[in-house]
Amino acid sequence: MAMVRDLVRDDVVLSAQTWVVKVGTSVLTDPSGRLDPARIGHLAEQLCAVMATGRKVALVSSGAVGAGLGQLNLTRRPENLPQLQAAAAVGQSYLIRAYDEGLRRHGRHAAQLLLTHEDFDSRARYLNMRNTLTALFDWNAVPIINENDTISVAEIKFGDNDRLAAMVTNLLQAPLLVILSVVDGLYPTDPGTGEIGGEPIPLVVNLDEETFGRAGTSRSTLGTGGMRSKLEAARLVTHAGGSVIIASGQKADPLTRIMAGEAVGSLFLARGSTQAARKRWIGLTARPKGHYVVDTGARHALESGSRSLLAIGVVEVVGEFDKGDVVGIRDDQGQEFARGLTNYATTEARLIRGLRTEQARQTLEEALYDEVIHKDNLVLIL
């Protein structure tokens, strides 16, 4: 019997010429926690099959710590931060070598990129990353991207590569992120018992609170993420105009089955139109240096999409920042709903908050901007 094609999935997958694939630690390791070369080889074959169609693929791979545990003959993940970082240092070289060996069988090269969040906060480094990735695509290499666990303190303790994969997807303006996990996708939850069961939800149109309620709190043994972190990553990508598939990476041929149009995993549809790369960086990537708290009228005006933030709408200035920094915008209930590039540093912003434009000019004497944040440099994030 011929397979019934899912036209929505076909449209998303077939039109996506750039893919970002994220793979978790538990997909790459055996039950003892050691890196499994056979799984790496299979994934490399899958990546090359996608690239053989003319598509560009970047891989965000966990597994450095897990690989290090295997090389050091450790039976459990250390809780001590220096030991975790040491395990990552040992494991990273082994991980990239395994990828390179797998890709070379198909005439491809592995290119290693180790990143921290600071690389995304800096606009210059952000653009350099994109230029490097573009050059690697031109050379038919496969970028293998990972958190720089050997120096990144906060992320190695609390983070995961799901968010990193989302930020890379937005950096490249890739229309599709595929997250390969140990689960088949997002499962429905019984509202009476809270138990997860049934078949994966094939299509998710809205990532609302009800959807997040299905995520549970589970984590894999070796990794740091869970379904909630994957949904957070999906929200970042879909908000910027990309789509996301969460599927099992432990089953055979996940990427080629997705490419063939099979109903693999859960598809999260893009929300709205594709955002420009610069606005993705402002609203969804760079971390805010501070916040403006605004009144209800200002929030309504900004959400109309046609207004800039003026000093009169600012109730409070939080944090320390300079002109040109990314700042968040919160309402008087504390909810962050937008981000933008500020025209004023903290000291100036505090002097003019709540003032009309004419009053702000008189206060600063040499006020150069009528807007605290111009609408062209402002991005709604809800």
Side-chain angles (χ1 to χ4, degrees):
M1 182 181 294
M3 181 182 68
V4 178
R5 306 289 297 197
D6 183 328
L7 297 183
V8 173
R9 187 175 285 256
D10 273 359
D11 182 57
V12 169
V13 172
L14 296 179
S15 64
Q17 293 303 302
T18 301
W19 291 22
V20 174
V21 177
K22 185 266 176 179
V23 61
T25 300
S26 296
V27 175
L28 302 176
T29 54
D30 62 25
S32 69
R34 296 175 181 270
L35 198 66
D36 187 341
R39 294 187 181 186
I40 293 279
H42 181 62
L43 178 59
E45 181 181 20
Q46 289 282 289
L47 295 170
C48 291
V50 175
M51 295 177 70
T53 66
R55 290 174 170 84
K56 302 170 183 176
V57 181
L59 176 68
V60 176
S61 176
S62 301
V65 174
L69 300 187
Q71 293 301 297
L72 296 168
N73 293 318
L74 300 176
T75 58
R76 58 194 297 268
R77 183 184 176 94
E79 296 180 2
N80 179 281
L81 180 60
Q83 290 180 345
L84 275 172
Q85 293 177 316
V90 171
Q92 187 61 45
S93 60
Y94 183 66
L95 179 66
I96 198 68
R97 185 179 71 190
Y99 274 123
D100 195 56
E101 289 174 352
L103 292 168
R104 282 179 181 273
R105 297 190 191 103
H106 306 278
R108 307 281 183 182
H109 296 279
Q112 179 176 252
L113 285 82
L114 298 177
L115 305 174
T116 66
H117 212 313
E118 285 75 13
D119 296 314
F120 290 87
D121 289 341
S122 165
R123 181 66 176 161
R125 286 154 72 178
Y126 184 81
L127 294 175
N128 285 339
M129 271 192 287
R130 190 166 65 186
N131 292 338
T132 299
L133 289 167
T134 300
L136 290 171
F137 289 148
D138 290 341
W139 286 344
N140 291 318
V142 180
I144 311 293
I145 303 165
N146 196 2
E147 177 83 31
N148 193 346
D149 289 335
T150 60
I151 63 172
S152 182
V153 176
E155 284 77 5
I156 196 172
K157 293 177 66 178
F158 308 114
D160 55 74
N161 274 342
D162 297 321
R163 181 175 177 84
L164 176 60
M167 292 193 295
V168 171
T169 303
N170 286 342
L171 166 74
L172 292 171
Q173 292 184 277
L176 181 62
L177 167 62
V178 179
I179 298 177
L180 298 180
S181 180
V182 294
V183 296
D184 289 333
L186 179 66
Y187 285 85
T189 303
D190 187 326
T193 65
E195 294 181 358
I196 296 175
E199 295 295 320
I201 301 170
L203 180 65
V204 179
V205 178
N206 294 314
L207 265 169
D208 52 20
E209 289 306 312
E210 181 182 352
T211 304
F212 272 87
R214 298 189 176 104
T217 58
S218 63
R219 288 176 177 269
S220 63
T221 303
L222 294 167
T224 58
M227 181 55 69
R228 188 169 187 87
S229 78
K230 290 168 179 53
L231 295 185
E232 293 284 2
R235 179 154 61 183
L236 281 175
V237 172
T238 56
H239 189 85
S243 296
V244 178
I245 294 175
I246 298 175
S248 172
Q250 294 184 320
K251 295 186 176 179
D253 308 325
L255 299 182
T256 49
R257 288 171 56 217
I258 288 172
M259 200 162 49
E262 293 187 35
V264 176
S266 300
L267 169 63
F268 299 79
L269 280 183
R271 172 185 166 191
S273 58
T274 302
Q275 285 189 6
R278 181 169 172 275
K279 291 225 168 182
R280 293 186 189 211
W281 177 75
I282 293 172
L284 302 170
T285 302
R287 291 178 293 188
K289 297 291 181 65
H291 286 85
Y292 288 121
V293 180
V294 301
D295 60 29
T296 303
R299 173 166 184 169
H300 289 161
L302 297 180
E303 288 182 328
S304 73
S306 61
R307 299 292 181 87
S308 301
L309 176 61
L310 304 179
I312 193 172
V314 177
V315 175
E316 187 179 357
V317 179
V318 181
E320 298 294 329
F321 49 82
D322 295 320
K323 173 187 171 184
D325 282 343
V326 174
V327 297
I329 304 175
R330 297 173 177 168
D331 61 20
D332 54 10
Q333 301 301 308
Q335 182 178 46
E336 184 180 23
F337 66 93
R339 291 179 182 174
L341 300 180
T342 177
N343 285 331
Y344 292 102
T346 303
T347 301
E348 298 167 323
R350 285 177 177 152
L351 287 173
I352 65 174
R353 68 180 177 89
L355 300 182
R356 296 185 180 277
T357 302
E358 298 79 5
Q359 294 173 314
R361 288 174 183 162
Q362 293 171 2
T363 300
L364 295 181
E365 296 182 353
E366 296 181 353
L368 300 178
Y369 303 96
D370 289 344
E371 309 87 3
V372 173
I373 298 178
H374 193 276
K375 64 182 180 181
D376 292 343
N377 295 325
L378 189 145
V379 180
L380 298 174
I381 61 172
L382 291 182

